[in-house]
Amino acid sequence: MPEGKIIKALSGFYYVLDESKESGKVIQCRARGIFRKNKVTPLVGDYVVYQAEHDKEGYLLEVKERTNELVRPPISNVDQAVLVFSATEPTFSTSLLDRFLVLVEANHIKPIICITKIDLLKTEEARETIQAYADDYRQMGYDVHLTSTIERDGIEQLTPHFHNKITVFAGQSGVGKSSLLNAMSPDLALKTNDISTHLGRGKHTTRHVELIHTAEGLIADTPGFSSLEFTGIEAEDLDLYFLDIKEKSRACKFRGCLHVKEPGCAVKEAVENEEIREYRYQHYLEFLTEIKDRKPRY
């Protein structure tokens, strides 16, 4: 049976890119009743087995095992997330960035940090501040790219990351995600206008997930993470999603240390010695409190 990848889901139809054929045909498929019976909902990004009735239509028979699965947006097998934040307009927020990083790490997705609009930094002090943040996150082990779509700074360095990958974009509103896509692939100009329109918040806008070809990979045409709550993340696991804290926590005296008031905490010691940035530790404490105060779901 032929296999492929779902690149769009709309109105009960699943559009499967047949990757076994050189032609790269897209087959419009419906899901068999067995999926409903087994409570399996096919997602964009799924690798599937399908049966083609003819060149353009068929039925899904099987969904292959997923490496990961997001609820909002509904997509699976995501390789990486580009977290897009502007250097200014809106102001760069380490708190929001750390929230996104935790969500991405918890879903076993590789994060790439992209700071846009660096051309709008008019003072040396402002440039040094952003550069210092970029250096901090690089030191933690993250890929960080400083970009300007106006001056095309950093675009060539960012583009190779997308080769043969499924990528989602997420981050602050108004940071110029569409402009970034356009800068990477100018032939997508019309497509990104469509994206901007149907990612709007109006009552009558279409909201669906679709994978679009660009930069030799597939990018999810989606509003990104619409839920920023730490659902499913437990307090004792939070430090796993802060790379700098995770590294130091191995030396804590007590197993299961939450790095708050416990004696012999290597993380608190690292903060005092400025080996972990104070703002990162404060965000960890804020998120920990939020998780502990979360109302249980029954």
Side-chain angles (χ1 to χ4, degrees), residues 25 34 57 91 157 196 217 222 279:
K25 279 186 180 176
I34 189 73
E57 292 186 4
T91 305
Q157 290 76 22
S196 302
T222 147
Y279 66 85

Side-chain angles (χ1 to χ4, degrees), residues 85-86 90-98 137 172 283:
F85 284 74
S86 57
T91 305
F92 183 71
S93 168
T94 56
S95 176
L96 190 56
L97 172 57
D98 285 345
Y137 284 93
Q172 288 168 297
H283 296 160

Side-chain angles (χ1 to χ4, degrees), residues 220-232:
D221 164 7
T222 147
F225 296 83
S226 52
S227 172
L228 296 178
E229 297 173 2
F230 299 121
T231 308

Side-chain angles (χ1 to χ4, degrees), residues 166-234:
I166 293 181
T167 306
V168 297
F169 274 62
Q172 288 168 297
S173 298
V175 296
K177 297 186 200 75
S178 294
S179 298
L180 192 59
L181 277 168
N182 265 337
M184 290 192 305
S185 294
D187 56 320
L188 280 179
L190 180 61
K191 186 68 182 175
T192 47
N193 287 337
D194 293 343
I195 293 170
S196 302
T197 304
H198 84 238
L199 296 188
R201 300 289 179 184
K203 284 183 182 177
H204 306 292
T205 20
T206 306
R207 300 297 293 277
H208 71 275
V209 179
E210 181 177 351
L211 294 175
I212 56 175
H213 282 276
T214 187
E216 299 183 31
L218 290 166
I219 290 179
D221 164 7
T222 147
F225 296 83
S226 52
S227 172
L228 296 178
E229 297 173 2
F230 299 121
T231 308
I233 298 176
E234 301 303 327

Side-chain angles (χ1 to χ4, degrees), residues 16-141:
V16 178
L17 174 65
D18 190 328
E19 297 179 320
S20 65
K21 297 178 182 178
E22 289 183 10
S23 61
K25 279 186 180 176
V26 175
I27 313 295
Q28 178 180 284
C29 295
R30 284 195 177 276
R32 291 286 193 195
I34 189 73
F35 289 102
R36 207 174 301 113
K37 184 180 175 183
N38 293 337
K39 296 182 179 177
V40 174
T41 301
L43 296 174
V44 168
D46 276 342
Y47 293 96
V48 296
V49 178
Y50 71 94
Q51 182 177 23
E53 296 195 325
H54 49 76
D55 270 0
K56 294 185 178 178
E57 292 186 4
Y59 286 91
L60 301 184
L61 301 179
E62 179 190 345
V63 172
K64 300 279 192 177
E65 188 176 352
R66 296 164 178 160
T67 57
N68 54 45
E69 174 186 339
L70 299 178
V71 177
R72 285 178 285 188
I75 189 171
S76 68
N77 300 317
V78 176
D79 295 303
Q80 57 192 13
V82 178
L83 305 181
V84 189
F85 284 74
S86 57
T88 185
E89 298 180 20
T91 305
F92 183 71
S93 168
T94 56
S95 176
L96 190 56
L97 172 57
D98 285 345
R99 183 174 286 267
F100 274 108
L101 284 170
V102 167
L103 292 168
V104 168
E105 295 281 0
N107 283 286
H108 310 291
I109 296 169
K110 178 189 175 184
I112 296 171
I113 300 169
C114 179
I115 303 176
T116 61
K117 301 185 184 180
I118 58 169
D119 54 288
L120 296 183
L121 297 172
K122 301 305 181 187
T123 68
E124 190 63 32
E125 184 184 4
R127 286 189 287 271
E128 286 176 358
T129 298
I130 292 298
Q131 187 61 59
Y133 282 132
D135 291 343
D136 283 351
Y137 284 93
R138 285 186 183 123
Q139 197 170 351
M140 294 169 209

Side-chain angles (χ1 to χ4, degrees), residues 235-250:
E236 58 269 24
D237 294 330
L238 180 62
D239 61 359
L240 298 175
Y241 312 127
F242 279 78
L243 295 190
D244 43 349
I245 293 176
K246 177 185 176 182
E247 182 186 348
K248 296 296 181 182
S249 67
R250 297 188 182 108

